[in-house]
Amino acid sequence: MESRFTRVAHETALKAMLTLVIAVMSASQLLAKPPDQPNEIRVQIMDSRTHRPLKGHKVQITFSGMDGQWYHNAPRMIGRTNSDGFVVFEVKQPIPPMMDVVDWWAYPCSNPEVYSTQTVFQDGVVAHWPSTGISKADKWCTADSQAPLPQRQPGKVIFFVHPLNRFQYAWYDLWK
């Protein structure tokens, strides 16, 4: 017959082993993904009328502060789109709650231009153009009926623009 002391010692040893196993498993999960591992945000710039990707566009994403407010010296990243209209940004932890997208040399046909970073990572974003009643903007930004509809994908922002030539850009810059 087992003494009470021996039974308590066995139970204590079993609890200690279970605690150790749980601690080792938790530590291995933490080591599997370091907290500063970068995440990718892929921005695709597309022609607002045809929904075709635009190559060589200078794109900037700007992040809010961790409190969701926008600051003058906010973190930002700049890149150029490849032949598929994509620019990939590596974002490190901690990830700010809000981000905005700017195409430097085009008229933005995407509303809104500010997105929840969490929504981008979880679901992706396909921006859209609501009719504004401004004939020139609506003409530039309303998609052709044959334009394919892009699909949302986690980590991806699809941003529509109207490409501007140098004359249009100079006019647009003065107008805004």
Side-chain angles (χ1 to χ4, degrees):
M1 198 149 128
E2 192 176 332
S3 74
R4 184 171 189 260
F5 177 75
T6 307
R7 191 177 77 222
V8 170
H10 285 289
E11 288 175 3
T12 305
L14 183 59
K15 287 180 184 177
M17 279 180 37
L18 284 173
T19 303
L20 180 61
V21 168
I22 291 170
V24 167
M25 289 175 63
S26 297
S28 67
Q29 287 177 345
L30 288 174
L31 291 174
K33 184 177 180 189
D36 63 342
Q37 179 177 341
N39 294 293
E40 286 186 354
I41 293 179
R42 295 171 295 131
V43 176
Q44 187 175 30
I45 302 297
M46 299 182 91
D47 185 294
S48 59
R49 307 250 330 131
T50 64
H51 289 189
R52 290 190 178 145
L54 296 173
K55 176 184 176 183
H57 278 245
K58 186 175 181 180
V59 178
Q60 175 179 312
I61 61 173
T62 305
F63 293 101
S64 68
M66 293 308 289
D67 59 358
Q69 299 297 313
W70 298 96
Y71 296 99
H72 176 69
N73 59 349
R76 65 179 182 260
M77 304 170 103
I78 297 173
R80 288 206 179 267
T81 58
N82 63 17
S83 60
D84 293 325
F86 280 104
V87 60
V88 178
F89 298 102
E90 298 283 330
V91 183
K92 293 189 177 189
Q93 300 282 350
I95 298 173
M98 302 297 289
M99 64 173 278
D100 78 341
V101 177
V102 174
D103 183 317
W104 281 49
W105 309 109
Y107 182 81
C109 294
S110 295
N111 189 20
E113 295 175 50
V114 175
Y115 310 101
S116 158
T117 312
Q118 192 64 28
T119 300
V120 170
F121 281 119
Q122 287 180 348
D123 304 320
V125 172
V126 176
H128 65 282
W129 178 257
S131 183
T132 63
I134 302 169
S135 61
K136 182 65 103 176
D138 287 342
K139 180 182 175 193
W140 280 355
C141 296
T142 302
D144 295 335
S145 59
Q146 308 91 328
L149 296 175
Q151 301 299 311
R152 294 170 76 165
Q153 293 177 359
K156 181 178 176 182
V157 175
I158 298 177
F159 195 77
F160 298 102
V161 300
H162 174 73
L164 300 174
N165 62 35
R166 291 185 192 278
F167 174 75
Q168 290 171 322
Y169 183 77
W171 167 84
Y172 169 67
D173 197 37
L174 291 173
W175 178 59
K176 62 176 187 170

